[in-house]
Amino acid sequence: YTILSKVHSDRNVYPSAGVLFVHVLEREYFKGEFPPYPKPGEISNDPITFNTNLMGYPDRPGWLRYIQRTPYSDGVLYGSPTVENVGKPTVIEITAYNRRTFETARHNLIINIMSAEVDFPLPYQAEFFIRNMNVEEMLASEVLGDFLGAVKNVWQPERLNAINITSALDRGGRVPLPINDMKEGVYVMVGADVPFSSCLREVENPQNQLRCSQEMEPVITCDKKFRTQFHIDWCKISLVDNTKQVSTFQEVIRGEGILPDGGEYKPPSDTLKSRDYYSDFLITLAVPSAIALVLFLILAYIMCCRREGVEKRNMQTPDIQLVHHSAIQKSTKELRDMSKNREMAWPLSTLPVFHPVTGEIVPPLHTDSYDNTSMPLMQTQQ
């Protein structure tokens, strides 16, 4: 892996394809680009942030990532170059922003990706998930060196390289709670030129697979060599053996779901005949409209022309039934008239006992025309 500790304008770097590339953007260097405005005797510690993009484009290449936790920490460019970009110089524009004075400074980083060696990419690759690290902590040269030393002690390869580092947040992980100094986790992929050791193969044991399915910690003999500094989730380790070439070609077996070969496609000619849509119009609009009109006329005839009036009803009704109906209507009208002219006082139980303003006891009074025999049983309460 490559660690560049200094940043200069128009700097050329030469990473190799398939090997981890790390470039540190140090705030101390960019502080010299901005004039100091603090009082004499004070140390300038301005918040500085960085923006990185491919020249002529708003974002970086797909293989290159950037991280900076706070404006008071250094920025880091990291990633694993691909073989497709070999021989193509990649110019990254680095813009530094002083958040106190709102001044900017721009530098260019020219990345010249070199072709990999003969034995690259390394055929045996293992990806570890480290739970107690963040990506910027893992990118530090001493921390990454300690991890590669622990892996080399367990694996015993002749050649070992860090291939890629990915934050757990980029793999769909959640942001940890800000308690107990929890970390987001980081995936580290390493490659070697020898087969996996027996210790790494222990993850594939049925007992450990069962423990992982039950969300239990698997039993790995070499875990103690990492536990002092790195907490590895052995259930998420991935072992890839690129020496086993798996053929992806599959013979097409004709059967259900596969159409027979119909020959070459023959598009329609450019000269299309004009089509008359008058008949389509009649079938779509005229015929339903005519049917609706006929139904409307039939309904209007039934509702208007076939209506039976009062005279026809009386002619078909017997005389005795009409007399009874007339007598009932006359009696009902007389009762309604009598109820309108009736004067009756309100019951004592519905009248107020206390004056609404003064609160004094007020006995309910009735007019002289009130019939005492119709008084309710409840009397005034003194």
Side-chain angles (χ1 to χ4, degrees):
Y1 59 98
T2 307
I3 296 290
L4 302 178
S5 59
K6 294 296 181 181
V7 180
H8 301 280
S9 59
D10 298 340
R11 177 68 181 270
N12 286 271
V13 293
Y14 301 90
S16 299
V19 181
L20 180 64
F21 165 74
V22 181
H23 184 84
V24 181
L25 307 179
E26 293 187 349
R27 296 176 61 257
E28 294 296 333
Y29 173 80
F30 284 94
K31 285 182 180 180
E33 299 289 335
F34 306 112
Y37 291 109
K39 297 179 181 179
E42 294 182 357
I43 300 176
S44 175
N45 190 22
D46 298 340
I48 299 176
T49 58
F50 301 95
N51 183 33
T52 60
N53 63 281
L54 184 64
M55 179 175 289
Y57 295 90
D59 204 353
R60 297 173 300 276
W63 62 270
L64 189 62
R65 295 185 178 93
Y66 168 74
I67 187 172
Q68 183 185 15
R69 288 290 178 180
T70 64
Y72 296 95
S73 59
D74 296 335
V76 182
L77 284 169
Y78 66 99
S80 181
T82 58
V83 182
E84 291 77 7
N85 298 324
V86 173
K88 301 177 183 178
T90 303
V91 181
I92 302 298
E93 294 180 343
I94 302 173
T95 305
Y97 296 89
N98 190 324
R99 295 302 178 181
R100 182 179 63 87
T101 61
F102 301 101
E103 294 179 335
T104 61
R106 176 167 294 181
H107 298 267
N108 293 333
L109 177 67
I110 304 175
I111 303 176
N112 302 282
I113 302 176
M114 307 298 292
S115 59
E117 299 179 9
V118 179
D119 52 352
F120 274 89
L122 296 174
Y124 302 97
Q125 299 177 1
E127 187 177 53
F128 299 87
F129 177 64
I130 306 174
R131 293 179 293 185
N132 65 327
M133 287 286 176
N134 289 336
V135 61
E136 71 277 5
E137 298 174 348
M138 199 66 197
L139 289 173
S141 59
E142 60 276 4
V143 177
L144 186 57
D146 294 341
F147 178 75
L148 291 178
V151 175
K152 190 173 183 179
N153 189 18
V154 172
W155 201 338
Q156 297 296 331
E158 296 181 2
R159 184 184 296 272
L160 181 69
N161 287 89
I163 298 177
N164 199 4
I165 291 181
T166 308
S167 173
L169 301 181
D170 297 335
R171 298 284 188 89
R174 296 183 178 181
V175 178
L177 296 176
I179 56 176
N180 300 330
D181 196 19
M182 296 181 65
K183 306 294 184 178
E184 63 190 29
V186 60
Y187 290 89
V188 181
M189 178 177 287
V190 298
D193 55 349
V194 297
F196 304 108
S197 62
S198 58
C199 174
L200 298 179
R201 289 291 186 183
E202 292 178 1
V203 183
E204 301 176 351
N205 294 340
Q207 295 81 2
N208 288 331
Q209 292 294 326
L210 179 60
R211 294 178 66 90
C212 289
S213 62
Q214 297 175 353
E215 297 183 357
M216 299 174 62
E217 192 74 19
V219 179
I220 307 297
T221 56
C222 58
D223 180 58
K224 59 183 180 181
K225 297 183 179 180
F226 297 92
R227 184 65 64 174
T228 56
Q229 187 176 359
F230 307 99
H231 295 174
I232 297 178
D233 190 347
W234 293 99
C235 291
K236 293 184 179 180
I237 188 174
S238 175
L239 304 178
V240 179
D241 187 359
N242 293 325
T243 59
K244 299 178 181 179
Q245 300 293 335
V246 180
S247 177
T248 58
F249 175 76
Q250 296 180 357
E251 183 180 359
V252 178
I253 302 177
R254 298 189 180 277
E256 296 182 359
I258 301 179
L259 298 177
D261 189 7
E264 297 182 358
Y265 172 70
K266 296 180 180 180
S269 60
D270 298 336
T271 58
L272 298 178
K273 296 181 180 180
S274 60
R275 181 179 176 183
D276 187 10
Y277 291 96
Y278 182 73
S279 59
D280 297 340
F281 169 77
L282 293 179
I283 296 175
T284 306
L285 297 178
V287 174
S289 301
I291 296 175
L293 180 61
V294 172
L295 295 176
F296 174 77
L297 294 176
I298 295 174
L299 182 62
Y301 172 75
I302 295 174
M303 297 295 294
C304 299
C305 301
R306 301 286 296 177
R307 184 176 181 182
E308 296 180 356
V310 177
E311 297 180 356
K312 185 176 181 180
R313 184 199 64 184
N314 295 339
M315 291 176 61
Q316 297 178 356
T317 306
D319 294 339
I320 186 64
Q321 188 175 354
L322 291 177
V323 172
H324 290 171
H325 181 71
S326 177
I328 293 173
Q329 285 186 338
K330 184 177 180 181
S331 301
T332 304
K333 185 175 182 303
E334 290 179 357
L335 291 174
R336 289 177 179 175
D337 294 340
M338 293 174 62
S339 64
K340 291 180 181 179
N341 298 329
R342 181 174 57 187
E343 295 181 1
M344 182 175 180
W346 292 94
L348 294 177
S349 61
T350 61
L351 296 178
V353 180
F354 301 94
H355 194 274
V357 179
T358 62
E360 299 177 356
I361 299 176
V362 179
L365 300 177
H366 297 290
T367 60
D368 297 337
S369 61
Y370 180 73
D371 188 5
N372 295 331
T373 59
S374 62
M375 294 181 60
L377 294 179
M378 182 180 293
Q379 300 298 328
T380 305
Q381 297 179 2
Q382 298 295 337

